[in-house]
PDB file of all heavy atoms in Angstrom:
ATOM      1  N   GLY A 168      79.565  54.775 163.967  1.00  0.00           N
ATOM      2  CA  GLY A 168      80.700  55.692 163.944  1.00  0.00           C
ATOM      3  C   GLY A 168      81.849  55.325 164.847  1.00  0.00           C
ATOM      4  O   GLY A 168      82.812  56.079 164.945  1.00  0.00           O
ATOM      5  N   LYS A 169      81.786  54.150 165.513  1.00  0.00           N
ATOM      6  CA  LYS A 169      82.849  53.735 166.422  1.00  0.00           C
ATOM      7  C   LYS A 169      83.420  52.393 165.954  1.00  0.00           C
ATOM      8  O   LYS A 169      82.673  51.516 165.515  1.00  0.00           O
ATOM      9  CB  LYS A 169      82.325  53.603 167.848  1.00  0.00           C
ATOM     10  CG  LYS A 169      81.805  54.907 168.434  1.00  0.00           C
ATOM     11  CD  LYS A 169      81.287  54.694 169.846  1.00  0.00           C
ATOM     12  CE  LYS A 169      80.748  55.984 170.440  1.00  0.00           C
ATOM     13  NZ  LYS A 169      80.226  55.797 171.815  1.00  0.00           N
ATOM     14  N   PRO A 170      84.748  52.221 166.047  1.00  0.00           N
ATOM     15  CA  PRO A 170      85.346  50.945 165.641  1.00  0.00           C
ATOM     16  C   PRO A 170      85.054  49.840 166.651  1.00  0.00           C
ATOM     17  O   PRO A 170      85.133  50.050 167.865  1.00  0.00           O
ATOM     18  CB  PRO A 170      86.845  51.261 165.565  1.00  0.00           C
ATOM     19  CG  PRO A 170      87.046  52.405 166.515  1.00  0.00           C
ATOM     20  CD  PRO A 170      85.769  53.203 166.467  1.00  0.00           C
ATOM     21  N   VAL A 171      84.697  48.684 166.163  1.00  0.00           N
ATOM     22  CA  VAL A 171      84.421  47.509 166.994  1.00  0.00           C
ATOM     23  C   VAL A 171      85.316  46.378 166.510  1.00  0.00           C
ATOM     24  O   VAL A 171      85.336  46.063 165.326  1.00  0.00           O
ATOM     25  CB  VAL A 171      82.935  47.089 166.892  1.00  0.00           C
ATOM     26  CG1 VAL A 171      82.694  45.787 167.649  1.00  0.00           C
ATOM     27  CG2 VAL A 171      82.039  48.194 167.434  1.00  0.00           C
ATOM     28  N   ASN A 172      86.081  45.773 167.458  1.00  0.00           N
ATOM     29  CA  ASN A 172      86.950  44.660 167.082  1.00  0.00           C
ATOM     30  C   ASN A 172      86.425  43.361 167.684  1.00  0.00           C
ATOM     31  O   ASN A 172      85.313  43.298 168.198  1.00  0.00           O
ATOM     32  CB  ASN A 172      88.401  44.929 167.500  1.00  0.00           C
ATOM     33  CG  ASN A 172      88.554  45.101 169.004  1.00  0.00           C
ATOM     34  OD1 ASN A 172      87.633  44.820 169.771  1.00  0.00           O
ATOM     35  ND2 ASN A 172      89.705  45.559 169.439  1.00  0.00           N
ATOM     36  N   ILE A 173      87.260  42.332 167.645  1.00  0.00           N
ATOM     37  CA  ILE A 173      86.823  40.998 168.055  1.00  0.00           C
ATOM     38  C   ILE A 173      86.461  40.946 169.533  1.00  0.00           C
ATOM     39  O   ILE A 173      85.643  40.134 169.953  1.00  0.00           O
ATOM     40  CB  ILE A 173      87.918  39.952 167.718  1.00  0.00           C
ATOM     41  CG1 ILE A 173      87.430  38.535 167.989  1.00  0.00           C
ATOM     42  CG2 ILE A 173      89.181  40.260 168.496  1.00  0.00           C
ATOM     43  CD1 ILE A 173      86.297  38.098 167.135  1.00  0.00           C
ATOM     44  N   HIS A 174      87.041  41.839 170.354  1.00  0.00           N
ATOM     45  CA  HIS A 174      86.834  41.768 171.793  1.00  0.00           C
ATOM     46  C   HIS A 174      85.511  42.381 172.244  1.00  0.00           C
ATOM     47  O   HIS A 174      84.999  42.029 173.306  1.00  0.00           O
ATOM     48  CB  HIS A 174      87.991  42.431 172.535  1.00  0.00           C
ATOM     49  CG  HIS A 174      89.291  41.701 172.385  1.00  0.00           C
ATOM     50  ND1 HIS A 174      89.436  40.377 172.724  1.00  0.00           N
ATOM     51  CD2 HIS A 174      90.498  42.095 171.894  1.00  0.00           C
ATOM     52  CE1 HIS A 174      90.686  39.993 172.469  1.00  0.00           C
ATOM     53  NE2 HIS A 174      91.340  41.021 171.962  1.00  0.00           N
ATOM     54  N   ASN A 175      84.964  43.328 171.482  1.00  0.00           N
ATOM     55  CA  ASN A 175      83.685  43.896 171.883  1.00  0.00           C
ATOM     56  C   ASN A 175      82.579  43.615 170.878  1.00  0.00           C
ATOM     57  O   ASN A 175      81.535  44.255 170.916  1.00  0.00           O
ATOM     58  CB  ASN A 175      83.808  45.420 172.131  1.00  0.00           C
ATOM     59  CG  ASN A 175      84.596  46.103 171.017  1.00  0.00           C
ATOM     60  OD1 ASN A 175      84.654  45.617 169.902  1.00  0.00           O
ATOM     61  ND2 ASN A 175      85.197  47.229 171.338  1.00  0.00           N
ATOM     62  N   ALA A 176      82.820  42.656 169.986  1.00  0.00           N
ATOM     63  CA  ALA A 176      81.742  42.195 169.110  1.00  0.00           C
ATOM     64  C   ALA A 176      80.815  41.272 169.893  1.00  0.00           C
ATOM     65  O   ALA A 176      81.192  40.712 170.929  1.00  0.00           O
ATOM     66  CB  ALA A 176      82.319  41.475 167.897  1.00  0.00           C
ATOM     67  N   LYS A 177      79.594  41.102 169.415  1.00  0.00           N
ATOM     68  CA  LYS A 177      78.598  40.297 170.105  1.00  0.00           C
ATOM     69  C   LYS A 177      77.936  39.333 169.134  1.00  0.00           C
ATOM     70  O   LYS A 177      77.848  39.592 167.935  1.00  0.00           O
ATOM     71  CB  LYS A 177      77.530  41.188 170.746  1.00  0.00           C
ATOM     72  CG  LYS A 177      78.056  42.107 171.838  1.00  0.00           C
ATOM     73  CD  LYS A 177      76.932  42.911 172.443  1.00  0.00           C
ATOM     74  CE  LYS A 177      77.447  43.826 173.559  1.00  0.00           C
ATOM     75  NZ  LYS A 177      76.336  44.631 174.154  1.00  0.00           N
ATOM     76  N   VAL A 178      77.493  38.224 169.699  1.00  0.00           N
ATOM     77  CA  VAL A 178      76.733  37.253 168.901  1.00  0.00           C
ATOM     78  C   VAL A 178      75.427  37.905 168.450  1.00  0.00           C
ATOM     79  O   VAL A 178      74.753  38.576 169.228  1.00  0.00           O
ATOM     80  CB  VAL A 178      76.452  35.976 169.718  1.00  0.00           C
ATOM     81  CG1 VAL A 178      75.522  35.046 168.951  1.00  0.00           C
ATOM     82  CG2 VAL A 178      77.750  35.265 170.051  1.00  0.00           C
ATOM     83  N   GLY A 179      75.067  37.702 167.197  1.00  0.00           N
ATOM     84  CA  GLY A 179      73.885  38.328 166.623  1.00  0.00           C
ATOM     85  C   GLY A 179      74.187  39.607 165.874  1.00  0.00           C
ATOM     86  O   GLY A 179      73.309  40.181 165.227  1.00  0.00           O
ATOM     87  N   MET A 180      75.430  40.064 165.948  1.00  0.00           N
ATOM     88  CA  MET A 180      75.831  41.287 165.259  1.00  0.00           C
ATOM     89  C   MET A 180      75.860  41.059 163.757  1.00  0.00           C
ATOM     90  O   MET A 180      76.364  40.057 163.272  1.00  0.00           O
ATOM     91  CB  MET A 180      77.215  41.723 165.770  1.00  0.00           C
ATOM     92  CG  MET A 180      77.781  42.953 165.116  1.00  0.00           C
ATOM     93  SD  MET A 180      79.399  43.365 165.838  1.00  0.00           S
ATOM     94  CE  MET A 180      79.876  44.720 164.773  1.00  0.00           C
ATOM     95  N   LYS A 181      75.290  41.989 162.995  1.00  0.00           N
ATOM     96  CA  LYS A 181      75.309  41.941 161.539  1.00  0.00           C
ATOM     97  C   LYS A 181      76.540  42.690 161.044  1.00  0.00           C
ATOM     98  O   LYS A 181      76.827  43.804 161.486  1.00  0.00           O
ATOM     99  CB  LYS A 181      74.056  42.589 160.952  1.00  0.00           C
ATOM    100  CG  LYS A 181      72.743  42.039 161.491  1.00  0.00           C
ATOM    101  CD  LYS A 181      72.418  40.684 160.920  1.00  0.00           C
ATOM    102  CE  LYS A 181      71.022  40.232 161.351  1.00  0.00           C
ATOM    103  NZ  LYS A 181      70.657  38.931 160.780  1.00  0.00           N
ATOM    104  N   VAL A 182      77.280  42.072 160.130  1.00  0.00           N
ATOM    105  CA  VAL A 182      78.490  42.697 159.592  1.00  0.00           C
ATOM    106  C   VAL A 182      78.392  42.738 158.076  1.00  0.00           C
ATOM    107  O   VAL A 182      77.765  41.883 157.445  1.00  0.00           O
ATOM    108  CB  VAL A 182      79.767  41.945 160.030  1.00  0.00           C
ATOM    109  CG1 VAL A 182      79.960  42.048 161.521  1.00  0.00           C
ATOM    110  CG2 VAL A 182      79.704  40.486 159.611  1.00  0.00           C
ATOM    111  N   GLU A 183      79.028  43.745 157.511  1.00  0.00           N
ATOM    112  CA  GLU A 183      79.053  43.917 156.057  1.00  0.00           C
ATOM    113  C   GLU A 183      80.444  44.381 155.649  1.00  0.00           C
ATOM    114  O   GLU A 183      81.007  45.277 156.265  1.00  0.00           O
ATOM    115  CB  GLU A 183      78.001  44.925 155.604  1.00  0.00           C
ATOM    116  CG  GLU A 183      77.988  45.160 154.094  1.00  0.00           C
ATOM    117  CD  GLU A 183      76.901  46.130 153.662  1.00  0.00           C
ATOM    118  OE1 GLU A 183      75.714  45.820 153.900  1.00  0.00           O
ATOM    119  OE2 GLU A 183      77.239  47.198 153.117  1.00  0.00           O
ATOM    120  N   LYS A 184      80.976  43.764 154.611  1.00  0.00           N
ATOM    121  CA  LYS A 184      82.311  44.087 154.122  1.00  0.00           C
ATOM    122  C   LYS A 184      82.225  44.470 152.648  1.00  0.00           C
ATOM    123  O   LYS A 184      81.750  43.693 151.821  1.00  0.00           O
ATOM    124  CB  LYS A 184      83.255  42.894 154.301  1.00  0.00           C
ATOM    125  CG  LYS A 184      84.653  43.116 153.747  1.00  0.00           C
ATOM    126  CD  LYS A 184      85.487  41.866 153.920  1.00  0.00           C
ATOM    127  CE  LYS A 184      86.877  42.028 153.315  1.00  0.00           C
ATOM    128  NZ  LYS A 184      87.665  40.787 153.436  1.00  0.00           N
ATOM    129  N   GLN A 185      82.652  45.689 152.351  1.00  0.00           N
ATOM    130  CA  GLN A 185      82.703  46.173 150.980  1.00  0.00           C
ATOM    131  C   GLN A 185      84.159  46.258 150.532  1.00  0.00           C
ATOM    132  O   GLN A 185      84.973  46.890 151.197  1.00  0.00           O
ATOM    133  CB  GLN A 185      82.039  47.544 150.853  1.00  0.00           C
ATOM    134  CG  GLN A 185      80.544  47.543 151.034  1.00  0.00           C
ATOM    135  CD  GLN A 185      79.941  48.903 150.728  1.00  0.00           C
ATOM    136  OE1 GLN A 185      80.646  49.829 150.338  1.00  0.00           O
ATOM    137  NE2 GLN A 185      78.647  49.036 150.910  1.00  0.00           N
ATOM    138  N   THR A 186      84.448  45.601 149.433  1.00  0.00           N
ATOM    139  CA  THR A 186      85.791  45.640 148.861  1.00  0.00           C
ATOM    140  C   THR A 186      85.738  46.382 147.532  1.00  0.00           C
ATOM    141  O   THR A 186      85.071  45.929 146.593  1.00  0.00           O
ATOM    142  CB  THR A 186      86.354  44.231 148.658  1.00  0.00           C
ATOM    143  OG1 THR A 186      86.339  43.525 149.908  1.00  0.00           O
ATOM    144  CG2 THR A 186      87.782  44.292 148.141  1.00  0.00           C
ATOM    145  N   ILE A 187      86.398  47.515 147.491  1.00  0.00           N
ATOM    146  CA  ILE A 187      86.438  48.332 146.272  1.00  0.00           C
ATOM    147  C   ILE A 187      87.778  48.074 145.591  1.00  0.00           C
ATOM    148  O   ILE A 187      88.838  48.388 146.130  1.00  0.00           O
ATOM    149  CB  ILE A 187      86.274  49.816 146.593  1.00  0.00           C
ATOM    150  CG1 ILE A 187      84.970  50.047 147.363  1.00  0.00           C
ATOM    151  CG2 ILE A 187      86.304  50.653 145.324  1.00  0.00           C
ATOM    152  CD1 ILE A 187      84.788  51.458 147.868  1.00  0.00           C
ATOM    153  N   THR A 188      87.734  47.486 144.397  1.00  0.00           N
ATOM    154  CA  THR A 188      88.935  47.165 143.644  1.00  0.00           C
ATOM    155  C   THR A 188      89.097  48.171 142.508  1.00  0.00           C
ATOM    156  O   THR A 188      88.204  48.307 141.667  1.00  0.00           O
ATOM    157  CB  THR A 188      88.862  45.744 143.076  1.00  0.00           C
ATOM    158  OG1 THR A 188      88.652  44.817 144.155  1.00  0.00           O
ATOM    159  CG2 THR A 188      90.151  45.385 142.350  1.00  0.00           C
ATOM    160  N   SER A 189      90.217  48.881 142.523  1.00  0.00           N
ATOM    161  CA  SER A 189      90.526  49.864 141.470  1.00  0.00           C
ATOM    162  C   SER A 189      91.590  49.290 140.552  1.00  0.00           C
ATOM    163  O   SER A 189      92.640  48.845 141.018  1.00  0.00           O
ATOM    164  CB  SER A 189      91.010  51.180 142.085  1.00  0.00           C
ATOM    165  OG  SER A 189      90.023  51.722 142.950  1.00  0.00           O
ATOM    166  N   THR A 190      91.309  49.306 139.254  1.00  0.00           N
ATOM    167  CA  THR A 190      92.235  48.769 138.259  1.00  0.00           C
ATOM    168  C   THR A 190      92.617  49.880 137.299  1.00  0.00           C
ATOM    169  O   THR A 190      91.738  50.508 136.678  1.00  0.00           O
ATOM    170  CB  THR A 190      91.593  47.603 137.487  1.00  0.00           C
ATOM    171  OG1 THR A 190      91.155  46.602 138.426  1.00  0.00           O
ATOM    172  CG2 THR A 190      92.577  46.979 136.521  1.00  0.00           C
ATOM    173  N   THR A 191      93.933  50.127 137.191  1.00  0.00           N
ATOM    174  CA  THR A 191      94.430  51.199 136.327  1.00  0.00           C
ATOM    175  C   THR A 191      95.477  50.627 135.385  1.00  0.00           C
ATOM    176  O   THR A 191      96.531  50.164 135.838  1.00  0.00           O
ATOM    177  CB  THR A 191      95.054  52.333 137.155  1.00  0.00           C
ATOM    178  OG1 THR A 191      94.104  52.804 138.114  1.00  0.00           O
ATOM    179  CG2 THR A 191      95.500  53.475 136.261  1.00  0.00           C
ATOM    180  N   PRO A 192      95.226  50.629 134.066  1.00  0.00           N
ATOM    181  CA  PRO A 192      96.264  50.190 133.120  1.00  0.00           C
ATOM    182  C   PRO A 192      97.299  51.297 132.918  1.00  0.00           C
ATOM    183  O   PRO A 192      96.980  52.487 132.964  1.00  0.00           O
ATOM    184  CB  PRO A 192      95.470  49.923 131.843  1.00  0.00           C
ATOM    185  CG  PRO A 192      94.293  50.844 131.931  1.00  0.00           C
ATOM    186  CD  PRO A 192      93.966  50.965 133.400  1.00  0.00           C
ATOM    187  N   ARG A 193      98.522  50.893 132.712  1.00  0.00           N
ATOM    188  CA  ARG A 193      99.568  51.863 132.413  1.00  0.00           C
ATOM    189  C   ARG A 193     100.636  51.219 131.534  1.00  0.00           C
ATOM    190  O   ARG A 193     100.762  49.992 131.484  1.00  0.00           O
ATOM    191  CB  ARG A 193     100.202  52.410 133.691  1.00  0.00           C
ATOM    192  CG  ARG A 193     101.045  51.418 134.455  1.00  0.00           C
ATOM    193  CD  ARG A 193     101.740  52.076 135.626  1.00  0.00           C
ATOM    194  NE  ARG A 193     102.583  51.122 136.354  1.00  0.00           N
ATOM    195  CZ  ARG A 193     103.363  51.457 137.386  1.00  0.00           C
ATOM    196  NH1 ARG A 193     103.381  52.708 137.810  1.00  0.00           N
ATOM    197  NH2 ARG A 193     104.099  50.539 138.003  1.00  0.00           N
ATOM    198  N   VAL A 194     101.397  52.054 130.875  1.00  0.00           N
ATOM    199  CA  VAL A 194     102.483  51.597 130.009  1.00  0.00           C
ATOM    200  C   VAL A 194     103.768  52.284 130.475  1.00  0.00           C
ATOM    201  O   VAL A 194     103.832  53.518 130.546  1.00  0.00           O
ATOM    202  CB  VAL A 194     102.210  51.919 128.525  1.00  0.00           C
ATOM    203  CG1 VAL A 194     103.397  51.500 127.667  1.00  0.00           C
ATOM    204  CG2 VAL A 194     100.943  51.220 128.052  1.00  0.00           C
ATOM    205  N   ILE A 195     104.755  51.475 130.798  1.00  0.00           N
ATOM    206  CA  ILE A 195     106.063  51.991 131.208  1.00  0.00           C
ATOM    207  C   ILE A 195     106.981  51.967 129.989  1.00  0.00           C
ATOM    208  O   ILE A 195     107.257  50.900 129.434  1.00  0.00           O
ATOM    209  CB  ILE A 195     106.669  51.157 132.350  1.00  0.00           C
ATOM    210  CG1 ILE A 195     105.712  51.085 133.539  1.00  0.00           C
ATOM    211  CG2 ILE A 195     108.012  51.738 132.778  1.00  0.00           C
ATOM    212  CD1 ILE A 195     105.408  52.419 134.174  1.00  0.00           C
ATOM    213  N   THR A 196     107.432  53.135 129.584  1.00  0.00           N
ATOM    214  CA  THR A 196     108.328  53.256 128.432  1.00  0.00           C
ATOM    215  C   THR A 196     109.730  53.567 128.937  1.00  0.00           C
ATOM    216  O   THR A 196     109.932  54.557 129.651  1.00  0.00           O
ATOM    217  CB  THR A 196     107.848  54.356 127.473  1.00  0.00           C
ATOM    218  OG1 THR A 196     106.516  54.045 127.034  1.00  0.00           O
ATOM    219  CG2 THR A 196     108.764  54.438 126.261  1.00  0.00           C
ATOM    220  N   THR A 197     110.670  52.723 128.551  1.00  0.00           N
ATOM    221  CA  THR A 197     112.070  52.902 128.958  1.00  0.00           C
ATOM    222  C   THR A 197     112.927  53.088 127.707  1.00  0.00           C
ATOM    223  O   THR A 197     112.885  52.262 126.781  1.00  0.00           O
ATOM    224  CB  THR A 197     112.573  51.692 129.753  1.00  0.00           C
ATOM    225  OG1 THR A 197     111.726  51.497 130.888  1.00  0.00           O
ATOM    226  CG2 THR A 197     114.001  51.904 130.225  1.00  0.00           C
ATOM    227  N   VAL A 198     113.684  54.173 127.690  1.00  0.00           N
ATOM    228  CA  VAL A 198     114.588  54.466 126.573  1.00  0.00           C
ATOM    229  C   VAL A 198     116.014  54.392 127.092  1.00  0.00           C
ATOM    230  O   VAL A 198     116.409  55.162 127.971  1.00  0.00           O
ATOM    231  CB  VAL A 198     114.300  55.849 125.963  1.00  0.00           C
ATOM    232  CG1 VAL A 198     115.267  56.131 124.813  1.00  0.00           C
ATOM    233  CG2 VAL A 198     112.857  55.941 125.483  1.00  0.00           C
ATOM    234  N   GLU A 199     116.789  53.439 126.563  1.00  0.00           N
ATOM    235  CA  GLU A 199     118.198  53.272 126.938  1.00  0.00           C
ATOM    236  C   GLU A 199     119.056  53.704 125.749  1.00  0.00           C
ATOM    237  O   GLU A 199     118.848  53.253 124.626  1.00  0.00           O
ATOM    238  CB  GLU A 199     118.482  51.822 127.306  1.00  0.00           C
ATOM    239  CG  GLU A 199     117.695  51.357 128.533  1.00  0.00           C
ATOM    240  CD  GLU A 199     117.851  49.876 128.777  1.00  0.00           C
ATOM    241  OE1 GLU A 199     117.369  49.101 127.935  1.00  0.00           O
ATOM    242  OE2 GLU A 199     118.462  49.509 129.803  1.00  0.00           O
ATOM    243  N   THR A 200     120.000  54.560 126.050  1.00  0.00           N
ATOM    244  CA  THR A 200     120.820  55.136 124.993  1.00  0.00           C
ATOM    245  C   THR A 200     122.294  54.891 125.284  1.00  0.00           C
ATOM    246  O   THR A 200     122.736  55.056 126.427  1.00  0.00           O
ATOM    247  CB  THR A 200     120.579  56.653 124.865  1.00  0.00           C
ATOM    248  OG1 THR A 200     119.187  56.881 124.649  1.00  0.00           O
ATOM    249  CG2 THR A 200     121.369  57.240 123.697  1.00  0.00           C
ATOM    250  N   VAL A 201     123.039  54.485 124.260  1.00  0.00           N
ATOM    251  CA  VAL A 201     124.486  54.317 124.391  1.00  0.00           C
ATOM    252  C   VAL A 201     125.153  54.961 123.174  1.00  0.00           C
ATOM    253  O   VAL A 201     124.664  54.859 122.054  1.00  0.00           O
ATOM    254  CB  VAL A 201     124.870  52.826 124.493  1.00  0.00           C
ATOM    255  CG1 VAL A 201     124.496  52.063 123.241  1.00  0.00           C
ATOM    256  CG2 VAL A 201     126.367  52.668 124.793  1.00  0.00           C
ATOM    257  N   SER A 202     126.236  55.666 123.427  1.00  0.00           N
ATOM    258  CA  SER A 202     126.978  56.344 122.352  1.00  0.00           C
ATOM    259  C   SER A 202     128.386  55.774 122.262  1.00  0.00           C
ATOM    260  O   SER A 202     128.986  55.419 123.284  1.00  0.00           O
ATOM    261  CB  SER A 202     127.051  57.857 122.607  1.00  0.00           C
ATOM    262  OG  SER A 202     125.751  58.411 122.652  1.00  0.00           O
ATOM    263  N   GLY A 203     128.919  55.683 121.050  1.00  0.00           N
ATOM    264  CA  GLY A 203     130.271  55.164 120.873  1.00  0.00           C
ATOM    265  C   GLY A 203     130.712  55.228 119.417  1.00  0.00           C
ATOM    266  O   GLY A 203     129.979  55.690 118.538  1.00  0.00           O
ATOM    267  N   THR A 204     131.923  54.762 119.219  1.00  0.00           N
ATOM    268  CA  THR A 204     132.514  54.728 117.878  1.00  0.00           C
ATOM    269  C   THR A 204     132.722  53.285 117.462  1.00  0.00           C
ATOM    270  O   THR A 204     133.187  52.461 118.269  1.00  0.00           O
ATOM    271  CB  THR A 204     133.867  55.468 117.858  1.00  0.00           C
ATOM    272  OG1 THR A 204     133.671  56.821 118.307  1.00  0.00           O
ATOM    273  CG2 THR A 204     134.452  55.490 116.459  1.00  0.00           C
ATOM    274  N   VAL A 205     132.338  52.996 116.215  1.00  0.00           N
ATOM    275  CA  VAL A 205     132.470  51.626 115.727  1.00  0.00           C
ATOM    276  C   VAL A 205     133.952  51.255 115.694  1.00  0.00           C
ATOM    277  O   VAL A 205     134.760  51.903 115.009  1.00  0.00           O
ATOM    278  CB  VAL A 205     131.850  51.472 114.329  1.00  0.00           C
ATOM    279  CG1 VAL A 205     132.082  50.060 113.808  1.00  0.00           C
ATOM    280  CG2 VAL A 205     130.376  51.802 114.347  1.00  0.00           C
ATOM    281  N   TRP A 206     134.292  50.234 116.479  1.00  0.00           N
ATOM    282  CA  TRP A 206     135.673  49.741 116.494  1.00  0.00           C
ATOM    283  C   TRP A 206     135.806  48.494 115.628  1.00  0.00           C
ATOM    284  O   TRP A 206     136.807  48.307 114.950  1.00  0.00           O
ATOM    285  CB  TRP A 206     136.078  49.428 117.919  1.00  0.00           C
ATOM    286  CG  TRP A 206     137.522  49.030 118.061  1.00  0.00           C
ATOM    287  CD1 TRP A 206     138.607  49.848 118.102  1.00  0.00           C
ATOM    288  CD2 TRP A 206     138.027  47.689 118.154  1.00  0.00           C
ATOM    289  NE1 TRP A 206     139.780  49.139 118.229  1.00  0.00           N
ATOM    290  CE2 TRP A 206     139.443  47.777 118.253  1.00  0.00           C
ATOM    291  CE3 TRP A 206     137.434  46.431 118.177  1.00  0.00           C
ATOM    292  CZ2 TRP A 206     140.264  46.666 118.371  1.00  0.00           C
ATOM    293  CZ3 TRP A 206     138.263  45.318 118.279  1.00  0.00           C
ATOM    294  CH2 TRP A 206     139.662  45.438 118.388  1.00  0.00           C
ATOM    295  N   HIS A 207     134.754  47.678 115.635  1.00  0.00           N
ATOM    296  CA  HIS A 207     134.748  46.495 114.777  1.00  0.00           C
ATOM    297  C   HIS A 207     133.289  46.092 114.573  1.00  0.00           C
ATOM    298  O   HIS A 207     132.463  46.216 115.487  1.00  0.00           O
ATOM    299  CB  HIS A 207     135.521  45.330 115.410  1.00  0.00           C
ATOM    300  CG  HIS A 207     135.462  44.077 114.603  1.00  0.00           C
ATOM    301  ND1 HIS A 207     136.177  43.900 113.434  1.00  0.00           N
ATOM    302  CD2 HIS A 207     134.754  42.910 114.805  1.00  0.00           C
ATOM    303  CE1 HIS A 207     135.934  42.695 112.944  1.00  0.00           C
ATOM    304  NE2 HIS A 207     135.079  42.071 113.758  1.00  0.00           N
ATOM    305  N   VAL A 208     132.964  45.610 113.375  1.00  0.00           N
ATOM    306  CA  VAL A 208     131.633  45.157 113.063  1.00  0.00           C
ATOM    307  C   VAL A 208     131.720  43.821 112.348  1.00  0.00           C
ATOM    308  O   VAL A 208     132.600  43.619 111.496  1.00  0.00           O
ATOM    309  CB  VAL A 208     130.867  46.188 112.190  1.00  0.00           C
ATOM    310  CG1 VAL A 208     131.563  46.444 110.862  1.00  0.00           C
ATOM    311  CG2 VAL A 208     129.419  45.754 111.982  1.00  0.00           C
ATOM    312  N   ALA A 209     130.853  42.915 112.761  1.00  0.00           N
ATOM    313  CA  ALA A 209     130.757  41.604 112.115  1.00  0.00           C
ATOM    314  C   ALA A 209     129.300  41.427 111.721  1.00  0.00           C
ATOM    315  O   ALA A 209     128.501  40.824 112.444  1.00  0.00           O
ATOM    316  CB  ALA A 209     131.206  40.496 113.054  1.00  0.00           C
ATOM    317  N   PRO A 210     128.909  42.020 110.582  1.00  0.00           N
ATOM    318  CA  PRO A 210     127.524  41.970 110.163  1.00  0.00           C
ATOM    319  C   PRO A 210     127.116  40.539 109.836  1.00  0.00           C
ATOM    320  O   PRO A 210     127.967  39.756 109.376  1.00  0.00           O
ATOM    321  CB  PRO A 210     127.484  42.866 108.922  1.00  0.00           C
ATOM    322  CG  PRO A 210     128.880  42.848 108.399  1.00  0.00           C
ATOM    323  CD  PRO A 210     129.775  42.665 109.574  1.00  0.00           C
ATOM    324  N   PRO A 211     125.862  40.185 110.114  1.00  0.00           N
ATOM    325  CA  PRO A 211     124.807  41.072 110.654  1.00  0.00           C
ATOM    326  C   PRO A 211     124.549  40.854 112.136  1.00  0.00           C
ATOM    327  O   PRO A 211     123.488  41.206 112.617  1.00  0.00           O
ATOM    328  CB  PRO A 211     123.607  40.644 109.837  1.00  0.00           C
ATOM    329  CG  PRO A 211     123.798  39.164 109.688  1.00  0.00           C
ATOM    330  CD  PRO A 211     125.268  38.921 109.616  1.00  0.00           C
ATOM    331  N   SER A 212     125.519  40.266 112.880  1.00  0.00           N
ATOM    332  CA  SER A 212     125.212  39.822 114.246  1.00  0.00           C
ATOM    333  C   SER A 212     125.777  40.712 115.343  1.00  0.00           C
ATOM    334  O   SER A 212     125.081  40.986 116.328  1.00  0.00           O
ATOM    335  CB  SER A 212     125.705  38.392 114.448  1.00  0.00           C
ATOM    336  OG  SER A 212     127.096  38.309 114.186  1.00  0.00           O
ATOM    337  N   THR A 213     127.018  41.184 115.235  1.00  0.00           N
ATOM    338  CA  THR A 213     127.642  41.911 116.342  1.00  0.00           C
ATOM    339  C   THR A 213     128.359  43.158 115.865  1.00  0.00           C
ATOM    340  O   THR A 213     128.738  43.271 114.695  1.00  0.00           O
ATOM    341  CB  THR A 213     128.651  41.020 117.093  1.00  0.00           C
ATOM    342  OG1 THR A 213     129.672  40.613 116.174  1.00  0.00           O
ATOM    343  CG2 THR A 213     127.981  39.811 117.705  1.00  0.00           C
TER     344      THR A 213
END
């Protein structure tokens, strides 16, 4: 129950390290909206 660092560790001490890796998938949805009036059209590209 007490923290021990490099300065008060001792030879013969048993250590154990547990690494818990949490993986969460997610989807980021971005909606970009622009409004305007057609001034010129050059189909089918611009």
Side-chain angles (χ1 to χ4, degrees):
K169 298 179 181 179
V171 174
N172 61 11
I173 186 64
H174 293 304
N175 45 25
K177 296 182 179 180
V178 173
M180 178 179 174
K181 306 285 187 178
V182 294
E183 179 178 299
K184 177 182 177 182
Q185 291 187 2
T186 304
I187 303 173
T188 303
S189 301
T190 304
T191 305
R193 70 174 181 176
V194 177
I195 304 297
T196 302
T197 303
V198 179
E199 297 173 293
T200 304
V201 63
S202 299
T204 303
V205 176
W206 185 80
H207 176 74
V208 60
S212 57
T213 60

